[in-house]
């Protein structure tokens, strides 16, 4: 929720924008078709979306919630999910398979190797700049599959459905490293 607008990630339909000024009578304002929106966060009228199937960070201008518009699409090296914005950086949790996977079987190096955390400088939201990434252990299992990230101080907490929860030192944003 940002101001009086709730942003609802609707997986296959993108993100719905809903006026919640009167919580007893929510009013649908619009939908922005981002692709499979797993998670989203809003800051300063900019919507950041972790997009699943197309493996992207999608950024939208939501200054006019009745007419949101996509302003950038940035590739990820895994299926997009949880997003967190702190300062000038956007942190994206990813999972399943790496973007470079060619064969859908364990012999492919990208199979199950999409798990991790990717960091982008979003000073200019219409052109996010890749900063760094750190990869969690390779794993693949179909079923419940969610990834999320929260940042506090110089630590990112990465939740990975089957691999667990990781702490990542981000004090050197260009060289994040696992600490637990």
């Amino acid at each position: 929720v940002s101001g009086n607008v709730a942003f609802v990630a609707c997986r296959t339909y993108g993100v719905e924008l809903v006026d919640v000024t009167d919580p007893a009578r929510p009013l649908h304002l619009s939908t922005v078709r981002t692709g499979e929106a797993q998670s989203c966060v809003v800051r300063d009228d900019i919507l950041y979306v972790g997009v699943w199937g197309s493996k992207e960070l999608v950024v939208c201008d939501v200054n006019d919630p009745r007419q949101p518009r996509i302003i950038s699409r940035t590739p990820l090296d895994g299926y997009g999910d949880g997003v967190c914005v702190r300062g000038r950086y956007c942190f994206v949790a990813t999972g399943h398979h790496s973007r470079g996977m060619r064969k859908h079987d364990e012999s492919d190096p990208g199979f199950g190797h999409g798990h991790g955390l990717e960091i982008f400088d979003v000073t200019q939201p219409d052109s996010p700049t890749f900063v760094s990434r750190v990869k969690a252990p390779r794993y693949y299992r179909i079923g419940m599959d969610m990834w999320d990230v929260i940042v506090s101080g110089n630590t990112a907490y990465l939740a990975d459905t089957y691999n667990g929860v990781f702490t990542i030192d981000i004090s050197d944003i260009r060289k994040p490293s696992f600490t637990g």
Side-chain angles (χ1 to χ4, degrees):
V1 176
S2 179
N4 292 325
V5 179
F7 296 82
V8 183
C10 294
R11 183 95 189 226
T12 56
Y13 298 106
V15 178
E16 291 190 41
L17 286 68
V18 180
D19 184 327
V20 291
T21 303
D22 179 354
R25 296 187 343 198
L27 174 66
H28 182 268
L29 298 172
S30 62
T31 300
V32 58
R33 305 275 186 207
T34 59
E36 286 182 82
Q38 284 286 103
S39 302
C40 62
V41 65
V42 179
R43 188 180 78 180
D44 300 330
D45 292 328
I46 301 294
L47 171 67
Y48 301 86
V49 185
V51 177
W52 182 255
S54 58
K55 301 176 185 171
E56 294 176 301
L57 167 63
V58 175
V59 182
C60 307
D61 180 334
V62 293
N63 183 51
D64 179 352
R66 290 192 179 275
Q67 295 184 351
R69 59 186 182 87
I70 294 172
I71 58 174
S72 67
R73 293 181 173 276
T74 304
L76 301 170
D77 192 43
Y79 289 66
D81 197 344
V83 291
C84 178
V85 177
R86 290 291 181 270
R88 65 189 235 204
Y89 298 106
C90 181
F91 300 82
V92 185
T94 62
H96 279 335
H97 308 300
S98 176
R99 179 170 284 283
M101 187 179 81
R102 300 289 175 245
K103 297 185 301 183
H104 195 34
D105 66 49
E106 292 183 31
S107 69
D108 190 300
F111 185 86
H113 202 250
H115 299 258
L117 176 66
E118 302 198 21
I119 304 169
F120 298 88
D121 184 326
V122 291
T123 303
Q124 296 179 338
D126 59 342
S127 58
T129 304
F130 176 79
V131 174
S132 59
R133 88 171 37 96
V134 62
K135 288 291 194 173
R138 181 178 174 174
Y139 189 82
Y140 177 70
R141 179 175 172 181
I142 197 71
M144 292 298 292
D145 46 11
M146 295 172 271
W147 301 275
D148 204 359
V149 60
I150 295 174
V151 173
S152 179
N154 286 325
T155 304
Y157 298 90
L158 177 67
D160 185 314
T161 301
Y162 296 108
N163 281 325
V165 176
F166 299 92
T167 56
I168 302 168
D169 180 353
I170 56 170
S171 57
D172 181 348
I173 201 77
R174 299 202 174 279
K175 295 180 183 175
S177 60
F178 289 104
T179 55

Short mmCIF file of all heavy atoms in Angstrom, two decimals, residues 70-106:
data_model
loop_
_atom_site.label_atom_id
_atom_site.label_comp_id
_atom_site.label_asym_id
_atom_site.label_seq_id
_atom_site.Cartn_x
_atom_site.Cartn_y
_atom_site.Cartn_z
N ILE A 70 4.54 0.99 -17.94
CA ILE A 70 5.83 0.32 -17.79
C ILE A 70 6.91 1.24 -18.36
O ILE A 70 6.78 1.74 -19.48
CB ILE A 70 5.82 -1.03 -18.52
CG1 ILE A 70 4.83 -1.97 -17.83
CG2 ILE A 70 7.23 -1.64 -18.57
CD1 ILE A 70 4.58 -3.27 -18.56
N ILE A 71 7.97 1.46 -17.56
CA ILE A 71 9.05 2.33 -18.04
C ILE A 71 10.35 1.55 -18.26
O ILE A 71 11.26 2.06 -18.90
CB ILE A 71 9.28 3.53 -17.10
CG1 ILE A 71 9.60 3.10 -15.67
CG2 ILE A 71 8.07 4.46 -17.15
CD1 ILE A 71 9.98 4.25 -14.74
N SER A 72 10.45 0.32 -17.73
CA SER A 72 11.64 -0.49 -18.02
C SER A 72 11.39 -1.96 -17.71
O SER A 72 10.55 -2.30 -16.88
CB SER A 72 12.86 0.01 -17.24
OG SER A 72 12.70 -0.20 -15.86
N ARG A 73 12.13 -2.79 -18.42
CA ARG A 73 12.15 -4.24 -18.23
C ARG A 73 13.62 -4.64 -18.20
O ARG A 73 14.33 -4.38 -19.17
CB ARG A 73 11.44 -4.98 -19.36
CG ARG A 73 9.95 -4.74 -19.41
CD ARG A 73 9.32 -5.53 -20.57
NE ARG A 73 7.89 -5.45 -20.55
CZ ARG A 73 7.08 -6.21 -19.82
NH1 ARG A 73 7.57 -7.15 -19.07
NH2 ARG A 73 5.78 -6.05 -19.87
N THR A 74 14.05 -5.25 -17.11
CA THR A 74 15.44 -5.62 -16.96
C THR A 74 15.54 -7.12 -16.71
O THR A 74 14.87 -7.64 -15.81
CB THR A 74 16.07 -4.85 -15.77
OG1 THR A 74 15.88 -3.45 -16.00
CG2 THR A 74 17.54 -5.15 -15.63
N PRO A 75 16.36 -7.84 -17.49
CA PRO A 75 16.46 -9.28 -17.32
C PRO A 75 17.11 -9.68 -15.99
O PRO A 75 17.99 -8.99 -15.48
CB PRO A 75 17.33 -9.73 -18.50
CG PRO A 75 17.97 -8.52 -19.03
CD PRO A 75 17.19 -7.34 -18.58
N LEU A 76 16.64 -10.81 -15.46
CA LEU A 76 17.20 -11.42 -14.25
C LEU A 76 17.78 -12.77 -14.63
O LEU A 76 17.40 -13.36 -15.64
CB LEU A 76 16.10 -11.62 -13.20
CG LEU A 76 15.35 -10.38 -12.74
CD1 LEU A 76 14.13 -10.78 -11.90
CD2 LEU A 76 16.27 -9.47 -11.94
N ASP A 77 18.66 -13.31 -13.79
CA ASP A 77 19.23 -14.63 -14.05
C ASP A 77 18.51 -15.70 -13.24
O ASP A 77 19.13 -16.61 -12.70
CB ASP A 77 20.73 -14.65 -13.75
CG ASP A 77 21.37 -15.92 -14.30
OD1 ASP A 77 21.04 -16.29 -15.44
OD2 ASP A 77 22.18 -16.53 -13.58
N GLY A 78 17.22 -15.58 -13.13
CA GLY A 78 16.37 -16.53 -12.43
C GLY A 78 14.96 -16.00 -12.47
O GLY A 78 14.72 -14.86 -12.89
N TYR A 79 14.01 -16.81 -12.06
CA TYR A 79 12.61 -16.38 -12.03
C TYR A 79 12.44 -15.31 -10.97
O TYR A 79 12.81 -15.50 -9.81
CB TYR A 79 11.71 -17.56 -11.72
CG TYR A 79 11.62 -18.57 -12.83
CD1 TYR A 79 12.72 -19.32 -13.23
CD2 TYR A 79 10.41 -18.79 -13.47
CE1 TYR A 79 12.62 -20.25 -14.25
CE2 TYR A 79 10.31 -19.73 -14.49
CZ TYR A 79 11.42 -20.45 -14.88
OH TYR A 79 11.32 -21.36 -15.89
N GLY A 80 11.88 -14.16 -11.33
CA GLY A 80 11.74 -13.03 -10.41
C GLY A 80 10.66 -13.24 -9.38
O GLY A 80 9.62 -13.81 -9.65
N ASP A 81 10.95 -12.77 -8.17
CA ASP A 81 9.95 -12.85 -7.10
C ASP A 81 10.10 -11.65 -6.18
O ASP A 81 9.86 -10.53 -6.61
CB ASP A 81 10.07 -14.16 -6.34
CG ASP A 81 8.83 -14.48 -5.51
OD1 ASP A 81 8.01 -13.57 -5.27
OD2 ASP A 81 8.68 -15.63 -5.09
N GLY A 82 10.52 -11.82 -4.95
CA GLY A 82 10.55 -10.76 -3.96
C GLY A 82 11.40 -9.57 -4.36
O GLY A 82 12.48 -9.73 -4.94
N VAL A 83 10.91 -8.37 -4.06
CA VAL A 83 11.65 -7.14 -4.33
C VAL A 83 11.67 -6.26 -3.09
O VAL A 83 10.73 -6.26 -2.29
CB VAL A 83 11.06 -6.35 -5.53
CG1 VAL A 83 11.28 -7.07 -6.83
CG2 VAL A 83 9.58 -6.07 -5.34
N CYS A 84 12.76 -5.53 -2.94
CA CYS A 84 12.92 -4.61 -1.82
C CYS A 84 13.73 -3.43 -2.34
O CYS A 84 14.73 -3.63 -3.04
CB CYS A 84 13.66 -5.33 -0.68
SG CYS A 84 13.99 -4.31 0.76
N VAL A 85 13.31 -2.22 -2.02
CA VAL A 85 14.05 -1.02 -2.43
C VAL A 85 14.55 -0.32 -1.18
O VAL A 85 13.77 -0.03 -0.27
CB VAL A 85 13.17 -0.07 -3.27
CG1 VAL A 85 13.93 1.20 -3.62
CG2 VAL A 85 12.68 -0.77 -4.53
N ARG A 86 15.86 -0.09 -1.14
CA ARG A 86 16.50 0.63 -0.04
C ARG A 86 17.48 1.62 -0.65
O ARG A 86 18.34 1.23 -1.44
CB ARG A 86 17.26 -0.30 0.91
CG ARG A 86 16.39 -1.20 1.74
CD ARG A 86 15.61 -0.38 2.78
NE ARG A 86 14.80 -1.23 3.61
CZ ARG A 86 13.54 -1.58 3.36
NH1 ARG A 86 12.96 -1.18 2.25
NH2 ARG A 86 12.87 -2.33 4.19
N GLY A 87 17.31 2.88 -0.29
CA GLY A 87 18.20 3.89 -0.87
C GLY A 87 18.06 3.89 -2.38
O GLY A 87 16.95 3.89 -2.91
N ARG A 88 19.19 3.83 -3.06
CA ARG A 88 19.15 3.85 -4.52
C ARG A 88 19.18 2.46 -5.13
O ARG A 88 19.33 2.31 -6.34
CB ARG A 88 20.30 4.68 -5.06
CG ARG A 88 21.66 4.12 -4.75
CD ARG A 88 22.72 5.10 -5.13
NE ARG A 88 23.67 4.50 -6.03
CZ ARG A 88 24.91 4.92 -6.18
NH1 ARG A 88 25.35 5.95 -5.48
NH2 ARG A 88 25.72 4.32 -7.02
N TYR A 89 19.03 1.42 -4.29
CA TYR A 89 19.15 0.05 -4.78
C TYR A 89 17.84 -0.74 -4.71
O TYR A 89 17.08 -0.61 -3.76
CB TYR A 89 20.23 -0.70 -4.00
CG TYR A 89 21.59 -0.07 -4.16
CD1 TYR A 89 22.15 0.67 -3.13
CD2 TYR A 89 22.29 -0.20 -5.35
CE1 TYR A 89 23.39 1.26 -3.29
CE2 TYR A 89 23.54 0.40 -5.52
CZ TYR A 89 24.08 1.13 -4.48
OH TYR A 89 25.30 1.72 -4.65
N CYS A 90 17.65 -1.56 -5.72
CA CYS A 90 16.54 -2.50 -5.75
C CYS A 90 17.14 -3.91 -5.65
O CYS A 90 18.02 -4.27 -6.43
CB CYS A 90 15.73 -2.37 -7.04
SG CYS A 90 14.31 -3.49 -7.12
N PHE A 91 16.67 -4.67 -4.68
CA PHE A 91 17.12 -6.03 -4.44
C PHE A 91 16.03 -6.97 -4.93
O PHE A 91 14.86 -6.79 -4.58
CB PHE A 91 17.36 -6.24 -2.94
CG PHE A 91 18.39 -5.31 -2.37
CD1 PHE A 91 18.05 -4.01 -2.00
CD2 PHE A 91 19.69 -5.72 -2.20
CE1 PHE A 91 19.00 -3.15 -1.47
CE2 PHE A 91 20.65 -4.86 -1.68
CZ PHE A 91 20.31 -3.57 -1.32
N VAL A 92 16.40 -7.97 -5.73
CA VAL A 92 15.42 -8.90 -6.29
C VAL A 92 15.82 -10.33 -5.96
O VAL A 92 16.94 -10.76 -6.28
CB VAL A 92 15.29 -8.75 -7.83
CG1 VAL A 92 14.18 -9.64 -8.36
CG2 VAL A 92 15.05 -7.29 -8.22
N ALA A 93 14.91 -11.07 -5.33
CA ALA A 93 15.14 -12.48 -5.04
C ALA A 93 14.70 -13.29 -6.26
O ALA A 93 13.65 -13.02 -6.85
CB ALA A 93 14.32 -12.90 -3.81
N THR A 94 15.52 -14.27 -6.63
CA THR A 94 15.21 -15.08 -7.80
C THR A 94 15.29 -16.57 -7.47
O THR A 94 15.87 -16.96 -6.46
CB THR A 94 16.20 -14.78 -8.95
OG1 THR A 94 17.52 -15.12 -8.54
CG2 THR A 94 16.13 -13.33 -9.38
N GLY A 95 14.70 -17.38 -8.34
CA GLY A 95 14.71 -18.81 -8.10
C GLY A 95 14.62 -19.64 -9.36
O GLY A 95 14.64 -19.13 -10.47
N HIS A 96 14.50 -20.92 -9.16
CA HIS A 96 14.43 -21.96 -10.18
C HIS A 96 15.62 -21.95 -11.13
O HIS A 96 16.74 -22.19 -10.70
CB HIS A 96 13.12 -21.95 -10.94
CG HIS A 96 12.00 -22.62 -10.23
ND1 HIS A 96 12.16 -23.61 -9.29
CD2 HIS A 96 10.67 -22.46 -10.33
CE1 HIS A 96 11.00 -24.01 -8.84
NE2 HIS A 96 10.06 -23.32 -9.45
N HIS A 97 15.40 -21.67 -12.40
CA HIS A 97 16.42 -21.89 -13.41
C HIS A 97 17.08 -20.60 -13.89
O HIS A 97 16.44 -19.56 -14.00
CB HIS A 97 15.81 -22.62 -14.62
CG HIS A 97 15.07 -23.84 -14.23
ND1 HIS A 97 15.66 -24.91 -13.59
CD2 HIS A 97 13.75 -24.17 -14.36
CE1 HIS A 97 14.75 -25.85 -13.36
NE2 HIS A 97 13.58 -25.41 -13.81
N SER A 98 18.35 -20.71 -14.23
CA SER A 98 19.11 -19.59 -14.76
C SER A 98 18.61 -19.23 -16.17
O SER A 98 18.13 -20.09 -16.90
CB SER A 98 20.59 -20.00 -14.82
OG SER A 98 21.36 -19.00 -15.40
N ARG A 99 18.75 -17.98 -16.51
CA ARG A 99 18.31 -17.50 -17.83
C ARG A 99 18.97 -18.28 -18.96
O ARG A 99 18.38 -18.50 -20.00
CB ARG A 99 18.63 -16.00 -17.96
CG ARG A 99 18.23 -15.41 -19.30
CD ARG A 99 18.33 -13.90 -19.30
NE ARG A 99 17.24 -13.27 -18.58
CZ ARG A 99 15.99 -13.13 -19.04
NH1 ARG A 99 15.67 -13.60 -20.22
NH2 ARG A 99 15.06 -12.55 -18.32
N GLY A 100 20.19 -18.73 -18.78
CA GLY A 100 20.92 -19.41 -19.84
C GLY A 100 20.57 -20.88 -20.03
O GLY A 100 21.14 -21.54 -20.89
N MET A 101 19.64 -21.41 -19.26
CA MET A 101 19.30 -22.83 -19.39
C MET A 101 18.75 -23.14 -20.77
O MET A 101 17.89 -22.43 -21.28
CB MET A 101 18.27 -23.22 -18.33
CG MET A 101 18.00 -24.71 -18.31
SD MET A 101 16.80 -25.18 -17.05
CE MET A 101 15.26 -24.78 -17.86
N ARG A 102 19.25 -24.20 -21.39
CA ARG A 102 18.79 -24.58 -22.72
C ARG A 102 17.98 -25.88 -22.71
O ARG A 102 17.06 -26.04 -23.48
CB ARG A 102 19.99 -24.77 -23.66
CG ARG A 102 20.84 -23.52 -23.83
CD ARG A 102 20.08 -22.46 -24.64
NE ARG A 102 20.83 -21.22 -24.69
CZ ARG A 102 20.43 -20.07 -24.16
NH1 ARG A 102 19.30 -19.99 -23.54
NH2 ARG A 102 21.16 -18.99 -24.26
N LYS A 103 18.37 -26.82 -21.86
CA LYS A 103 17.65 -28.10 -21.76
C LYS A 103 17.00 -28.16 -20.38
O LYS A 103 17.62 -27.80 -19.39
CB LYS A 103 18.60 -29.28 -21.90
CG LYS A 103 19.31 -29.37 -23.22
CD LYS A 103 20.14 -30.63 -23.33
CE LYS A 103 21.18 -30.69 -22.23
NZ LYS A 103 22.06 -31.84 -22.29
N HIS A 104 15.77 -28.62 -20.33
CA HIS A 104 15.06 -28.69 -19.06
C HIS A 104 15.36 -30.02 -18.35
O HIS A 104 14.47 -30.82 -18.11
CB HIS A 104 13.56 -28.50 -19.28
CG HIS A 104 12.79 -28.20 -18.04
ND1 HIS A 104 13.31 -27.47 -17.00
CD2 HIS A 104 11.54 -28.54 -17.66
CE1 HIS A 104 12.40 -27.38 -16.04
NE2 HIS A 104 11.33 -28.02 -16.41
N ASP A 105 16.65 -30.23 -18.06
CA ASP A 105 17.02 -31.41 -17.28
C ASP A 105 18.31 -31.11 -16.52
O ASP A 105 19.00 -30.13 -16.78
CB ASP A 105 17.15 -32.66 -18.14
CG ASP A 105 18.28 -32.63 -19.14
OD1 ASP A 105 19.42 -32.29 -18.75
OD2 ASP A 105 18.03 -32.95 -20.31
N GLU A 106 18.62 -31.97 -15.56
CA GLU A 106 19.73 -31.72 -14.64
C GLU A 106 21.10 -31.65 -15.31
O GLU A 106 22.05 -31.16 -14.71
CB GLU A 106 19.74 -32.79 -13.55
CG GLU A 106 18.55 -32.66 -12.64
CD GLU A 106 18.57 -33.66 -11.49
OE1 GLU A 106 19.67 -34.04 -11.04
OE2 GLU A 106 17.49 -34.05 -11.06
#
